């Protein structure tokens, strides 16, 4: 097994990645030493007594947005989830995260969590704190529910390059934020005690890296019981399965799965029942005409075409399927480049059923 240690700056890659945050819209900057910080040092995680720690990015005056959504439609929706009895949608190209207590009311009745992001893709929560990846600003924004609503409490800057996916690992009590260009995983923890105003700070505990994904545009990772799966980027064409090593300071790669050219630009891998579902944005040439949804019973079969294309079963076409989430036993898919942006569906005995366009 190869051991990938905590990252340090210093390797310059002379490549320019040509995919946008969501659907191939803009050119990305080259990866270089100049725009990658030395991430081997934890932020706010010194050996001092916890009460003496100085946590970076804390707002002196936390504030709630308290605005209504002014849009009637979504513009490149990338993610939907339900937290604390509220639905949250990443309305990526509107540069906002919105929330509401149901998915029946029109979008202009939803509230804005934040509109101070540029291409936010996901939101995750531990039940107390809410973390948003502010992709184009290379940072994470942190919110906490207070008496006045969801309050912006902290901003963690310099989270790699284009952090694209954040999840909460309840087993290990850590937020995991993925830097989509540098192959770095930021492990972010909550302080054990709040500050005097009741706000819990977050700090970067560790930064782990997979060297093979440095300079590769990887949109997401998937935590399964047997490891963490990093999906294919258009310029590496393989899914990497890894585990955090026993020392906790890097990844051990335990398997790699090659994929066919037409599957190269993946968005997400999710397992439903015994099958792996993969949403695809482009092929290896960044052609969005190859956007689709496939599934397979074995990742080893992907390189040889051993998969089923199920996009037609959703009754939409010509769009880009994005992240899929499970909410109370039903599945929800963000979808863009068409008018169908949030699609709900059920899976029963591997049959896709009850497909419904929500927004």
């Amino acid at each position: 097994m190869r051991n990938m240690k905590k990252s340090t700056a210093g390797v310059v890659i002379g490549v320019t990645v040509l995919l946008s945050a969501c659907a191939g819209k803009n050119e990305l900057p080259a990866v270089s030493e100049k725009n990658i910080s030395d991430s081997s040092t934890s932020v706010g995680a010194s050996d001092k007594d916890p009460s003496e720690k100085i946590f970076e990015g804390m707002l002196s005056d936390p504030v709630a947005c308290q605005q209504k959504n002014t849009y009637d439609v979504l513009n490149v929706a990338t993610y939907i989830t339900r937290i604390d009895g509220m639905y949250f949608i990443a309305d990526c190209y509107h540069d906002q995260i919105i929330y509401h207590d149901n998915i029946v009311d029109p979008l202009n009745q939803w509230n804005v969590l934040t509109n101070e992001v540029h291409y936010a893709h996901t939101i995750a929560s531990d039940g107390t704190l809410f973390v948003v990846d502010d992709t184009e600003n290379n940072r994470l924004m942190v919110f906490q529910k207070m008496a006045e609503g969801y309050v912006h409490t902290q901003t963690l800057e310099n989270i790699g390059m284009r952090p694209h996916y954040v999840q909460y690992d309840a087993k290990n009590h850590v937020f995991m934020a993925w830097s989509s260009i540098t192959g770095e995983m930021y492990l972010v923890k909550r302080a054990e005690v709040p500050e005097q105003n009741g706000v819990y700070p977050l700090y970067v505990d560790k930064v782990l890296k997979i060297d093979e994904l440095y300079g590769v545009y990887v949109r997401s990772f998937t935590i399964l019981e047997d490891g963490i799966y990093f999906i294919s980027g258009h310029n590496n064409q393989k899914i990497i399965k890894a585990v955090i090593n026993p020392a906790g300071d890097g990844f051990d790669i335990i398997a790699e799965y090659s994929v066919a050219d037409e599957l190269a630009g993946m968005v997400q891998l999710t397992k439903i029942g015994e099958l792996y579902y993969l949403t695809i944005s482009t092929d290896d040439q960044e052609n969005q005409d190859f956007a689709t949804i496939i599934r397979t019973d074995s990742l080893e079969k992907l390189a040889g075409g051993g998969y089923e294309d199920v996009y037609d079963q959703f009754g939409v076409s010509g769009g880009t399927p994005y992240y899929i989430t499970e909410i109370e036993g039903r599945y929800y898919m963000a979808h863009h480049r068409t008018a169908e942006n949030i699609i709900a569906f059920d899976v029963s005995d591997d049959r896709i059923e009850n497909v419904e366009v929500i927004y």
Side-chain angles (χ1 to χ4, degrees):
M1 293 188 297
R2 281 163 290 172
N3 185 30
M4 303 302 176
K5 296 291 187 179
K6 284 193 291 187
S7 65
T8 56
V11 180
V12 179
I13 289 186
V15 301
T16 301
V17 186
L18 299 176
L19 277 179
S20 78
C22 303
K25 184 176 179 181
N26 300 318
E27 182 175 308
L28 298 180
V31 182
S32 69
E33 180 179 7
K34 178 180 178 181
N35 51 28
I36 298 177
S37 62
D38 184 350
S39 53
S40 61
T41 303
S42 298
V43 179
S46 67
D47 295 328
K48 295 181 180 180
D49 182 271
S51 63
E52 298 178 4
K53 288 180 183 177
I54 298 175
F55 296 97
E56 293 192 3
M58 301 299 295
L59 273 65
S60 58
D61 185 20
V63 61
C65 182
Q66 295 183 332
Q67 293 183 23
K68 283 287 186 183
N69 177 30
T70 59
Y71 299 102
D72 295 324
V73 297
L74 299 166
N75 188 2
V76 184
T78 53
Y79 194 77
I80 180 172
T81 188
R82 191 168 189 260
I83 308 168
D84 189 36
M86 292 287 179
Y87 292 90
F88 291 81
I89 294 177
D91 191 7
C92 187
Y93 277 18
H94 279 151
D95 290 328
Q96 62 179 6
I97 301 287
I98 59 176
Y99 67 94
H100 196 48
D101 62 2
N102 67 73
I103 50 175
V104 176
D105 290 339
L107 289 166
N108 58 18
Q109 294 185 27
W110 287 51
N111 296 300
V112 176
L113 176 72
T114 181
N115 53 14
E116 297 180 350
V117 291
H118 188 21
Y119 291 177
H121 286 80
T122 57
I123 179 172
S125 177
D126 64 356
T128 299
L129 299 180
F130 299 74
V131 179
V132 172
D133 52 27
D134 186 1
T135 300
E136 296 299 325
N137 289 320
N138 303 323
R139 65 185 186 177
L140 300 176
M141 297 184 70
V142 186
F143 301 83
Q144 184 171 331
K145 189 175 182 179
M146 310 291 282
E148 58 270 44
Y150 295 105
V151 174
H152 179 202
T153 59
Q154 186 179 11
T155 300
L156 292 172
E157 303 281 358
N158 302 314
I159 304 298
M161 182 179 288
R162 306 185 76 249
H164 206 291
Y165 197 70
V166 59
Q167 296 287 287
Y168 181 68
D169 179 2
K171 179 179 179 181
N172 296 299
H173 308 289
V174 63
F175 288 95
M176 303 176 73
W178 179 246
S179 168
S180 65
I181 305 298
T182 62
E184 293 172 305
M185 182 75 82
Y186 284 71
L187 303 183
V188 183
K189 289 189 174 181
R190 190 179 86 189
E192 293 184 3
V193 295
E195 299 196 330
Q196 291 184 348
N197 59 0
V199 170
Y200 281 92
L202 285 178
Y203 62 91
V204 176
D205 182 54
K206 296 178 181 178
V207 183
L208 312 181
K209 185 176 180 182
I210 295 181
D211 289 336
E212 288 191 33
L213 296 181
Y214 187 74
V216 178
Y217 183 36
V218 175
R219 295 178 175 90
S220 70
F221 59 90
T222 303
I223 304 171
L224 296 178
E225 290 183 0
D226 59 346
I228 304 172
Y229 291 73
F230 298 88
I231 49 90
S232 169
H234 78 281
N235 54 339
N236 79 325
Q237 293 190 226
K238 59 186 173 183
I239 298 171
I240 290 176
K241 176 183 175 182
V243 294
I244 296 176
N245 65 26
D249 63 355
F251 286 108
D252 287 336
I253 296 177
I254 58 177
E256 296 184 2
Y257 309 95
S258 297
V259 304
D261 291 349
E262 62 268 22
L263 308 180
M266 293 182 177
V267 177
Q268 182 196 33
L269 177 153
T270 187
K271 196 170 186 184
I272 302 176
E274 296 301 316
L275 298 180
Y276 298 95
Y277 286 69
L278 291 138
T279 48
I280 312 297
S281 177
T282 72
D283 67 350
D284 62 328
Q285 300 300 311
E286 305 172 67
N287 185 345
Q288 294 182 67
D289 291 340
F290 285 84
T292 191
I293 308 168
I294 67 162
R295 65 184 182 184
T296 183
D297 61 357
S298 172
L299 299 180
E300 286 90 346
K301 296 179 179 179
L302 292 175
Y307 58 84
E308 177 189 8
D309 192 311
V310 296
Y311 194 23
D312 287 345
Q313 296 185 38
F314 290 85
V316 295
S317 62
T320 299
Y322 223 72
Y323 296 133
I324 295 173
T325 51
E326 182 182 358
I327 303 174
E328 298 177 343
R330 195 156 202 234
Y331 296 94
Y332 294 79
M333 179 176 65
H335 183 262
H336 54 263
R337 291 200 302 130
T338 68
E340 300 90 4
N341 298 145
I342 301 294
I343 300 171
F345 63 99
D346 297 319
V347 178
S348 177
D349 296 327
D350 295 330
R351 297 190 306 271
I352 296 169
E353 300 177 335
N354 304 320
V355 176
E356 179 185 4
V357 176
I358 305 296
Y359 292 110

